[in-house]
Amino acid sequence: MLRHIFRRLLLAIPTLLVVVTIIFLVVRVIPGNPAVAALGEYASQDAVNKLEQQLGLDKPKWVQYVDYMNALAHGDLGKSMINRRPAIDQIKFVLPYTLELTAAAILIALILGIPTGVLTAVKRNTWVDYTGRVFSLAGLSAPSFYVGLLFIYFFAARLGWFPAIGAGDFHHLGKNLQTLVLPAITLGLIETAYIARMTRSVMLGVLSEDYVRTARAKGLAERIVLSQHAIRAALIPIVSLVGIFTISLIGNSVLVETVFARPGLGKLMVGAANQRDYTMLQAVMVVYALIIIVINIVVDIIYTVVDPRVRYD
Amino acid sequence: MQERKIEELVREASRKGLSRRQLIQRAAVLGISAPALTVAMTKMAPAALAQDRPTLRIAQNAADLASLDPHYAAGTQDRALVDMVFNGLVRFKPGDSTQIEPDLATAVPEPSDQGGKQVWTFTLRDNVQVHKTGKSDAYTLTADDVVFSFKKAADENTSAYAGDYQGITVAKVDDKTVTFTLDNPLSPTLFLPKVANYSGGYVVPQKAYEALGADAFKTAPAGTGPFKFDSYTPQNSVALVANDDYFRGQPKLAGIDYRYIEESSSRESALLSGDIDVINGLPEGQWVDKMNKSDGVKADVFGVGEAIWLEINVTAKPFDDAKVRQAIALALSRENHVALFGAPVGETIYSVVPAQLMPGGLTEEQAKKAGVIYEQNIDQAKQLLAEAGVKDGFEIKLVTSQMDDYRRNYEVLQDELGKIGLKIDLQVVQHAAMHELIRKGTNPLVIYVAFRPTADTYLTQFFTTEGGNTNFAHYSAIDDAVAKARTTTDADEQAKLWQDANTQILKDYAAYPFLIKNLVYARSNKVDYGHELKSIVQLYPGIDETTSISS
C-alpha cells in the first residue's frame, strides 16, 4: 500500500507540472490585465505600465514562466497581484471553510442519500420508491444557487433561525455551526439526490444477485440480509463515487459560497480569474490539483477497507 | 460562557427587532434552552446593554478588497472604507459633494501669487492623532506627514493618481503649515479636489506607512479618520473600530463591520433579516420601490451618479463621415437608456459632463439652445446614411462587458441602430477584458460608464489627445479649449469654456450622452447617517462620527 501511495505521489508531479503550465499559459492568453484590474479604469496608461513593471509583467512570457517555476520549486506560490498578500496565506485562510462546507455537505448527503437509496430499492415500485425518486429528481433539478436563496429567504429573513450570510469563527463552535447549516444543506441536497439514485440503482442489482437469494433461502432475517450482505456490497461503487462527488463539491461550492457570502477556495479562484490575478489563480489551481490527488489516494485506501479483494501490492 | 452567548444573542435580537419566539428559536440552535434564556436575561443589566455603542454592519457589492492604500483605492468597496479611515486637508461636505469645507486644515485657503506662481497655504489643526498600528504608536500629525503623503501621491511607484499631481510642489513651512506651489495656476474648482478626501488627496501618515510597509498598508492601513482599521478577513469582511481620539469627537458607533457580499439577493435578505444594517442596492427604480414598501427598511437614491454615454471614433471608417455619426445620434433615444434603470435612479444628461453634478455641463435648456439635443428621427437618420453612401447599412463588431450597466445599454444600442440598418455583432466578454480591448481600439462605438470629479477630468481623459487610449473618439478638436479652461482661475469663465467644449463634442457627433446612474443604497430605518444624502463622491452614503443606529 505504501509503495502504491508513493507511486501515486510521484505520478502527481508531472500532473502538477502540466496543470501549472496550462494555467500559466491560459490566463496570459485571455484578454485582461491585472495591472488595470488593480488600479481601476481611472488609472492612466503610465500608471498601468509602471505597475506592470513592478509585477514583472513587462518581461517576456518565458522569463515569467521560468521565474514562476523556480519559485514554485522552492515552495513559493507568490503574492497576489492585486492586494500583494502572499497567496499561500489567503489559501490557508479560506481552505478550512471550503473543507468544512464540503465535509458537512458530504456527511448530509451520505446520511440522507444512502438510506433513501436503500429504502427505495427495497420498496421498489411502491409509494415509498416513487416519493423517494421524485424527491431525488427534484434535488438533481434544483440549482444550488436558487435553493440557497430560498433557504435564506425562509430560514433567515422570515423565520430568523439562522444567519442569512457569513461564516462563523472556528473558535466559536456554536456560531460556526449556525452559519454552516444552511450552506451545507444547500450544497448537500444535490449530492443527496445523486447518492440516493446511485444507491438505489446499485442496490437493485445487488438484491437480484445469487448470494442474496441464497441468504434469504437460508432463512436469514431480511434485516440481516440487507445489512450484512446487500448494503456492504453496494457500498463499494458508492465509495469511489463519494470521492468524485467530494472533488466536484469543492469545485461547485463557489455558488453556495457566493450566495451565503462565505470565504472559500472556489470564490477565491473566481475572484482571481475576474481580476486576472495570475499568481493567485495559479496558486489556487496547484492546491486544487493537490486536493484531487489526495482524495484519490484516500479513496484507494478506503477501497481496500470496504472490499477485501482489492490489493495494491 | 453561556451568559456571554446569551448576552450576544439578546443584543442581536434587540438590533434586529426579533420577536420573542424568534429569539427562543435562535437560542435553541445555539443549544440554549428557553428557561436558561429567561433566567439569564433577568440577570442582565438592561442599562449596561443600552449604553453600548452599536456596530454598523454594511454590505458592499464586491468579492473582496483590492487596496486600502487610498492612493490606489479605485473600486467603490475600497473607496468607502478609505473614506472612514483617512482625511484630506479639505473635504467634500458630508452628503453634499458640491461644497468644500476644512478637514485636516483649519480653513479652505485662497491662493496667493508668489513670484508669479500660484501658492496655496494650509494650516493644520492641532492634535490630529494618527491611528496606532501593530507596528507604530499613535502620534500627532504634522506637516511632514502631509508633505510625505502628497509626494507619495505624485509618485508613479506609490500611487495610481500620480498624473493628477504633476507640476505641483509641496513644501513644509513649519510643523503646522504646508504650501502647494503650482507651475500653472488652477481654479479652486480644479485644485481643491486634489487636496480633498478623494483618491490622492487623502493624507497617508508617514510613520504609520513606513512602519507597516507598502504591501501591508494595502490591507491594514492607518490614517486619522473617525474609524481605525482593526482586522481583515479575506473575502468576508473588514472590521473598523471607533477612533475615540478623533478630532471631531467620539463616533456614535462602536465600529464598522464591513462585509463583502456580491450576490444582490443575499444582501437584500441579510438586510431584511436584520443581519446587516446598510446594503449596496440594485440600480433599478422598481427595486427602490420594493424596498421602500418593506417593513423597517428604506432605500436611498443619491448622487454622485456615473455618467453613461456613447463615444464614436471619428477617425474610423465609415464613422469619419460626420453624416454617419449624425445618423447614429438621430437613431438614439435617451429615454430608452434611462428606462433601463427607471426613475429616480436614471436621470437624463445633455452633455458628457453631467450638469447636475458639476460646473461645465450642459442643462437641457442650454443643450436645446445650442441645438445639440438630437431627438430621435429614424427617417432622417436613414436619409443621412444614404447621403453618406451607406444606404443599405453595414455591420460592425463590438465587445461589451458582462456587467449589466454596459451589456444592457449595448443591447439597447443594438436595437436602436438596427432600425437604421446598422447591424451590431455584439460579443459579451469579461469586464476586465472589455476594458483592455476597448483601449486597444476594438470598438468604433464605445459605451462608457464613469464618474469623474471635475469637468476637466471627463473632457481631458475621454476627448483630448492627452487622454491617450481612453480618448475612444480619437477626438482632438477641444484640446486647446480644455487646456485653456484648466488654467482659467475665474470659475464662471472656466465653466463657460467647458460648456463650449461639451457643445463642440456634440456638434461634431463625437459623443451622445445618455444618463447618469445614481447610487442606490438601502438601510434599516434605525440607521441615521447624520447628514443629508445629496451627492457623495466616495460612492457610498458616507459614514462618519455622526452616524448612529437607534435602538
Side-chain angles (χ1 to χ4, degrees):
Chain A
M1 175 57 87
L2 280 175
R3 263 179 55 196
H4 170 74
I5 293 172
F6 184 68
R7 205 166 50 231
R8 293 291 295 266
L9 286 173
L10 274 183
L11 278 171
I13 294 171
T15 311
L16 269 178
L17 280 177
V18 171
V19 168
V20 164
T21 305
I22 291 173
I23 292 297
F24 182 91
L25 293 173
V26 166
V27 294
R28 282 163 176 79
V29 166
I30 52 175
N33 182 335
V36 174
L39 298 177
E41 52 87 28
Y42 185 100
S44 67
Q45 192 55 44
D46 287 346
V48 170
N49 294 343
K50 200 79 198 175
L51 186 60
E52 280 182 342
Q53 216 174 22
Q54 288 172 8
L55 297 174
L57 295 170
D58 58 330
K59 294 179 188 169
K61 299 266 189 302
W62 70 267
V63 176
Q64 291 180 43
Y65 180 73
V66 170
D67 287 350
Y68 172 64
M69 294 307 278
N70 186 30
L72 194 62
H74 290 86
D76 180 5
L77 290 174
K79 280 182 176 180
S80 158
M81 288 185 166
I82 305 298
N83 64 30
R84 308 302 292 144
R85 281 165 58 93
I88 190 67
D89 286 359
Q90 299 195 52
I91 291 170
K92 272 199 273 189
F93 174 78
V94 300
L95 191 58
Y97 287 103
T98 296
L99 295 181
E100 171 193 57
L101 178 62
T102 311
I106 282 287
L107 198 66
I108 288 168
L110 290 175
I111 289 171
L112 298 178
I114 292 178
T116 307
V118 171
L119 201 64
T120 50
V122 173
K123 305 280 182 189
R124 190 182 179 188
N125 292 335
T126 65
W127 67 269
V128 176
D129 184 24
Y130 297 139
T131 311
R133 283 160 68 185
V134 165
F135 274 104
S136 59
L137 194 64
L140 285 176
S141 317
S144 59
F145 192 77
Y146 185 64
V147 171
L149 289 175
L150 283 179
F151 279 1
I152 290 176
Y153 179 72
F154 283 110
F155 296 111
R158 293 291 294 270
L159 296 170
W161 290 359
F162 300 100
I165 41 114
D169 180 338
F170 285 104
H171 300 295
H172 297 93
L173 188 64
K175 195 136 194 170
N176 186 287
L177 288 177
Q178 209 186 4
T179 55
L180 183 63
V181 173
L182 292 183
I185 295 176
T186 305
L187 194 60
L189 274 184
I190 296 175
E191 302 310 320
T192 302
Y194 272 118
I195 290 177
R197 290 180 78 82
M198 194 53 65
T199 307
R200 180 182 179 275
S201 156
V202 175
M203 272 297 283
L204 285 175
V206 170
L207 287 174
S208 61
E209 290 285 343
D210 290 345
Y211 64 88
V212 173
R213 200 178 305 123
T214 308
R216 280 177 177 147
K218 278 161 63 182
L220 288 178
E222 189 63 13
R223 184 173 54 84
I224 304 289
V225 173
L226 287 177
S227 61
Q228 299 290 317
H229 297 274
I231 294 177
R232 189 155 183 209
L235 277 180
I236 297 167
I238 292 168
V239 165
S240 60
L241 278 172
V242 168
I244 295 167
F245 286 158
T246 308
I247 292 166
S248 81
L249 273 186
I250 291 173
N252 293 337
S253 60
V254 62
L255 292 177
V256 174
E257 287 163 358
T258 303
V259 170
F260 289 94
R262 286 177 62 87
L265 206 56
K267 221 170 122 191
L268 189 64
M269 185 178 70
V270 172
N274 284 341
Q275 293 188 298
R276 301 294 188 266
D277 190 344
Y278 298 161
T279 40
M280 182 56 76
L281 197 55
Q282 287 158 187
V284 174
M285 292 311 293
V286 168
V287 172
Y288 261 125
L290 284 172
I291 289 173
I292 290 168
I293 289 161
V294 169
I295 287 174
N296 278 318
I297 292 173
V298 170
V299 167
D300 285 353
I301 295 168
I302 294 175
Y303 233 88
T304 61
V305 177
V306 295
D307 188 350
R309 293 169 300 176
V310 176
R311 287 282 179 275
Y312 295 111
D313 301 327
Chain B
M1 184 69 181
Q2 176 101 328
E3 280 185 10
R4 200 164 60 84
K5 270 191 196 171
I6 294 172
E7 197 174 315
E8 279 177 16
L9 192 66
V10 173
R11 269 187 232 281
E12 194 184 349
S14 155
R15 289 170 50 132
K16 293 180 177 177
L18 295 184
S19 67
R20 183 176 170 76
R21 187 179 170 169
Q22 286 173 319
L23 177 62
I24 291 170
Q25 284 166 341
R26 282 217 170 183
V29 171
L30 288 174
I32 303 163
S33 67
L37 180 71
T38 313
V39 170
M41 279 176 70
T42 51
K43 282 185 191 166
M44 284 162 62
L49 284 176
Q51 277 172 7
D52 277 357
R53 286 180 290 177
T55 295
L56 182 82
R57 297 154 308 167
I58 177 166
Q60 271 291 4
N61 175 15
D64 205 347
L65 63 76
S67 174
L68 298 182
D69 178 335
H71 300 164
Y72 281 103
T76 305
Q77 81 276 21
D78 293 343
R79 285 186 186 277
L81 272 172
V82 159
D83 187 57
M84 294 182 242
V85 175
F86 293 89
N87 295 93
L89 287 173
V90 296
R91 68 173 183 175
F92 294 100
K93 187 183 170 193
D96 181 3
S97 296
T98 58
Q99 295 184 52
I100 297 270
E101 59 183 31
D103 199 6
L104 293 173
T106 54
V108 179
E110 289 291 326
S112 62
D113 188 287
Q114 292 179 18
K117 288 203 168 178
Q118 189 187 53
V119 177
W120 297 76
T121 305
F122 292 87
T123 305
L124 300 180
R125 286 175 192 262
D126 291 329
N127 295 322
V128 172
Q129 289 297 300
V130 173
H131 304 159
K132 184 177 187 291
T133 74
K135 291 187 174 173
S136 61
D137 288 330
Y139 66 96
T140 305
L141 186 91
T142 69
D144 289 321
D145 293 292
V146 177
V147 172
F148 166 80
S149 182
F150 282 96
K151 284 186 173 168
K152 174 181 174 304
D155 184 349
E156 277 179 353
N157 292 306
T158 51
S159 166
Y161 305 104
D164 294 345
Y165 295 89
Q166 302 314 304
I168 299 176
T169 307
V170 57
K172 171 186 172 180
V173 176
D174 57 46
D175 274 355
K176 292 280 159 215
T177 316
V178 284
T179 56
F180 291 78
T181 306
L182 278 57
D183 291 350
N184 295 304
L186 290 175
S187 67
T189 311
L190 286 186
F191 177 73
L192 291 175
K194 291 180 192 290
V195 293
N197 52 341
Y198 188 75
S199 300
Y202 284 108
V203 173
V204 171
Q206 181 173 11
K207 285 178 198 163
Y209 181 82
E210 288 175 348
L212 289 164
D215 283 351
F217 202 80
K218 287 184 167 138
T219 51
T224 52
F227 296 98
K228 298 187 280 190
F229 173 83
D230 182 51
S231 63
Y232 163 51
T233 309
Q235 294 184 35
N236 193 49
S237 62
V238 169
L240 304 180
V241 292
N243 172 18
D244 289 339
D245 296 324
Y246 186 50
F247 60 84
R248 285 195 176 87
Q250 200 179 56
K252 290 179 180 173
L253 298 171
I256 307 289
D257 180 5
Y258 193 86
R259 302 286 190 90
Y260 299 105
I261 306 179
E262 273 184 295
E263 173 50 37
S264 62
S265 305
S266 305
R267 288 199 303 276
E268 188 181 317
S269 296
L271 178 70
L272 294 174
S273 68
D275 286 323
I276 291 288
D277 303 307
V278 175
I279 63 166
N280 183 267
L282 282 182
E284 291 169 9
Q286 283 182 338
W287 189 84
V288 171
D289 291 342
K290 185 177 93 174
M291 293 313 286
N292 282 333
K293 284 175 189 162
S294 304
D295 285 341
V297 299
K298 184 180 185 316
D300 298 300
V301 180
F302 54 97
V304 296
E306 288 182 297
I308 303 178
W309 71 92
L310 171 73
E311 209 156 323
I312 307 172
N313 184 345
V314 299
T315 61
K317 285 201 179 302
F319 305 102
D320 56 342
D321 186 333
K323 284 183 179 170
V324 175
R325 300 198 300 273
Q326 188 183 357
I328 289 173
L330 292 174
L332 306 178
S333 156
R334 282 181 184 82
E335 287 67 31
N336 289 344
H337 294 265
V338 172
L340 291 173
F341 302 92
V345 180
E347 275 184 68
T348 47
I349 53 173
Y350 298 93
S351 60
V352 172
V353 175
Q356 296 96 318
L357 300 178
M358 58 192 69
L362 297 174
T363 62
E364 182 177 8
E365 200 182 320
Q366 287 165 331
K368 206 172 267 177
K369 202 173 161 190
V372 290
I373 289 263
Y374 306 130
E375 299 289 356
Q376 191 178 44
N377 188 333
I378 301 294
D379 291 338
Q380 197 185 340
K382 282 180 177 172
Q383 193 186 328
L384 283 162
L385 283 184
E387 286 171 23
V390 282
K391 189 185 171 192
D392 297 329
F394 52 92
E395 184 173 339
I396 52 167
K397 285 185 179 175
L398 300 180
V399 296
T400 176
S401 157
Q402 88 285 5
M403 287 174 69
D404 279 355
D405 289 353
Y406 283 91
R407 185 182 49 76
R408 291 164 69 200
N409 272 296
Y410 268 105
E411 284 167 0
V412 171
L413 180 76
Q414 190 178 35
D415 181 55
E416 289 169 330
L417 296 189
K419 288 177 183 157
I420 60 167
L422 207 165
K423 203 172 162 197
I424 294 177
D425 177 4
L426 194 59
Q427 191 193 349
V428 181
V429 297
Q430 205 267 331
H431 192 64
M434 181 204 74
H435 274 296
E436 187 176 18
L437 291 169
I438 61 174
R439 280 162 176 73
K440 284 180 177 168
T442 49
N443 281 16
L445 305 179
V446 171
I447 289 180
Y448 211 77
V449 183
F451 168 74
R452 295 293 182 264
T454 64
D456 177 68
T457 325
Y458 268 115
L459 296 172
T460 304
Q461 195 170 358
F462 297 109
F463 295 97
T464 67
T465 312
E466 203 182 316
N469 60 6
T470 52
N471 176 10
F472 305 114
H474 295 253
Y475 190 63
S476 57
I478 61 164
D479 283 9
D480 293 341
V482 172
K484 188 180 171 194
R486 195 175 302 143
T487 54
T488 301
T489 51
D490 180 273
D492 291 339
E493 194 186 330
Q494 187 176 50
K496 175 75 174 54
L497 286 167
W498 283 330
Q499 284 175 341
D500 291 346
N502 271 305
T503 306
Q504 191 59 50
I505 290 168
L506 299 175
K507 280 187 172 167
D508 289 336
Y509 310 104
Y512 186 94
F514 294 127
L515 69 143
I516 50 169
K517 185 197 74 173
N518 283 310
L519 298 168
V520 180
Y521 279 79
R523 63 183 155 95
S524 153
N525 278 341
K526 294 176 182 173
V527 174
D528 177 1
Y529 293 121
H531 50 75
E532 63 174 338
L533 293 178
K534 191 177 162 192
S535 61
I536 303 174
V537 293
Q538 293 84 9
L539 310 173
Y540 82 120
I543 313 285
D544 59 24
E545 74 287 355
T546 63
T547 305
S548 61
I549 306 175
S550 57
S551 51

